[in-house]
Amino acid sequence: MMKRWLLPVFASFMIFAGAGTHSAEAATPKELTATAYKYIGVPYVYGGTTTSGLDCSGFTRLVFSQLGISINRTSSAQYSQGTAVSKSNLQVGDLVFYNTSGRGVSHVGIYVGNNKFIHSGTSTGVTVASMSTSYWATRYVGAKRIATFTEEAVQETTEQVKDASIDFTVYASRGEVALQLAEVLGVNTSNTNSPFVDVKSDSKYAGATTALYNLGVFTGDANGKFNAGSPLTRSQMAKVLVEAFNLKMTNKVVHFTDVSDKSWDYEYIKILASNGVTIGQGDGTYGGSSYVTLKQLHTFIERASNLN
């Protein structure tokens, strides 16, 4: 018999795992700025990639990953992506680059409109700055458009953001999660006439996505896509599992050094850990921005299932 708690899993999955990068899900300029602004106040840490501390490119990479777009790790590597944009044609979400070291591109931020950008500065942490100040105006290098944020959807502008580097023999994709959930639910997957424009009838995901769509589990993105080849992060999986298994806080409280109580994933990770579904990465961190591996997916689902 189908368990009721599994039915809402992909409603949350499609909202938050869309932040898993590949074909980006719907995201507006307002959503981009809201995502970026929630990290204001996070301190600058050289090499930092978590909410305990972020360097400039760690910040931009984290924000974009939350919106379904994968970008390179360093500012100079990010500068090699996307399409060049003139300063007069900047749009919200464009990456803006600066030479703060005297040796070329060494700093990056995200344009948020009105000649302002949000970035993680060495002396300020994550904050909003004006591009018009003499310091930033004289160090400006250029801008790149990795994705276009509109009131309708996020559209990729370069093939370079399509996660060619993601090894899906190691990491979990949406398609794989669909297959595993269809198996757990015991649904009939014989109908391969998928409602998603990017899942053809001969795709191995067609039966699972069609069956789960008919159950009201999948809704797709604003363009009617399922995005089977997108990975998801550990933060996104925390939300999926908490909502899917209707997990609640227990008396066991676990703290992770890289999870801020101001972060959107805080409550989900706290609940997941309190139930023993996750124990973190063994060094006191949770690693929310890391992609979920297939092994972790299996372990998480098994542990959560055993709680019911």
Side-chain angles (χ1 to χ4, degrees):
M1 182 177 180
M2 188 180 300
K3 295 183 178 180
R4 294 177 61 193
W5 44 256
L6 276 172
L7 291 178
V9 63
F10 267 91
S12 61
F13 179 76
M14 294 309 292
I15 294 174
F16 280 88
T21 77
H22 197 88
S23 295
E25 298 252 318
T28 64
K30 183 177 180 180
E31 290 168 334
L32 176 280
T33 54
T35 300
Y37 280 25
K38 70 184 179 182
Y39 297 110
I40 287 178
V42 172
Y44 178 92
V45 172
Y46 180 76
T49 59
T50 73
T51 52
S52 292
L54 293 162
D55 64 15
C56 64
S57 55
F59 167 66
T60 54
R61 191 169 190 262
L62 178 59
V63 171
F64 272 61
S65 73
Q66 295 295 314
L67 296 169
I69 306 159
S70 177
I71 61 177
N72 293 329
R73 172 62 185 90
T74 66
S75 58
S76 59
Q78 289 174 13
Y79 189 61
S80 70
Q81 293 183 265
T83 303
V85 182
S86 66
K87 203 171 187 178
S88 60
N89 289 319
L90 285 172
Q91 295 180 4
V92 173
D94 290 343
L95 294 180
V96 288
F97 297 88
Y98 295 87
N99 178 357
T100 56
S101 66
R103 298 185 297 275
V105 172
S106 56
H107 192 71
V108 61
I110 303 172
Y111 185 68
V112 292
N114 297 319
N115 210 34
K116 295 180 179 179
F117 70 105
I118 186 169
H119 68 123
S120 183
T122 55
S123 61
T124 62
V126 178
T127 190
V128 176
S130 172
M131 297 176 65
S132 300
T133 64
S134 59
Y135 180 87
W136 294 115
T138 58
R139 289 166 174 78
Y140 183 76
V141 174
K144 290 295 186 73
R145 184 164 299 156
I146 301 299
T148 300
F149 297 84
T150 71
E151 292 304 323
E152 295 180 353
V154 174
Q155 299 294 327
E156 292 185 9
T157 62
T158 172
E159 293 297 315
Q160 290 176 311
V161 302
K162 287 194 174 181
D163 284 312
S165 61
I166 301 299
D167 183 355
F168 287 112
T169 64
V170 176
Y171 296 99
S173 67
R174 289 192 190 196
E176 181 59 32
V177 175
L179 294 177
Q180 292 200 24
L181 275 185
E183 182 177 357
V184 169
L185 290 168
V187 296
N188 184 342
T189 59
S190 61
N191 180 3
T192 59
N193 186 25
S194 175
F196 302 108
V197 297
D198 59 338
V199 180
K200 296 181 180 179
S201 60
D202 59 352
S203 167
K204 67 178 181 180
Y205 307 118
T209 57
T210 301
L212 293 170
Y213 173 84
N214 289 335
L215 289 173
V217 177
F218 294 139
T219 58
D221 67 14
N223 298 314
K225 293 182 177 181
F226 172 66
N227 301 314
S230 295
L232 69 157
T233 68
R234 287 166 59 90
S235 289
Q236 294 154 8
M237 179 54 78
K239 176 175 173 56
V240 167
L241 292 176
V242 168
E243 295 197 351
F245 290 89
N246 194 27
L247 300 179
K248 306 297 183 183
M249 272 298 296
T250 69
N251 293 328
K252 180 182 179 182
V253 180
V254 180
H255 297 285
F256 297 110
T257 59
D258 61 338
V259 181
S260 168
D261 60 4
K262 296 180 176 61
S263 180
W264 72 265
D265 56 4
Y266 175 72
E267 290 295 332
Y268 301 112
I269 294 172
K270 183 172 68 172
I271 294 172
L272 203 67
S274 76
N275 284 275
V277 178
T278 181
I279 58 175
Q281 300 190 123
D283 59 355
T285 66
Y286 176 71
S289 61
S290 298
Y291 294 138
V292 175
T293 67
L294 292 170
K295 182 177 180 180
Q296 291 167 349
L297 175 66
H298 173 77
T299 300
F300 285 174
I301 290 178
E302 183 178 45
R303 288 175 179 170
S305 297
N306 289 336
L307 295 173
N308 293 270

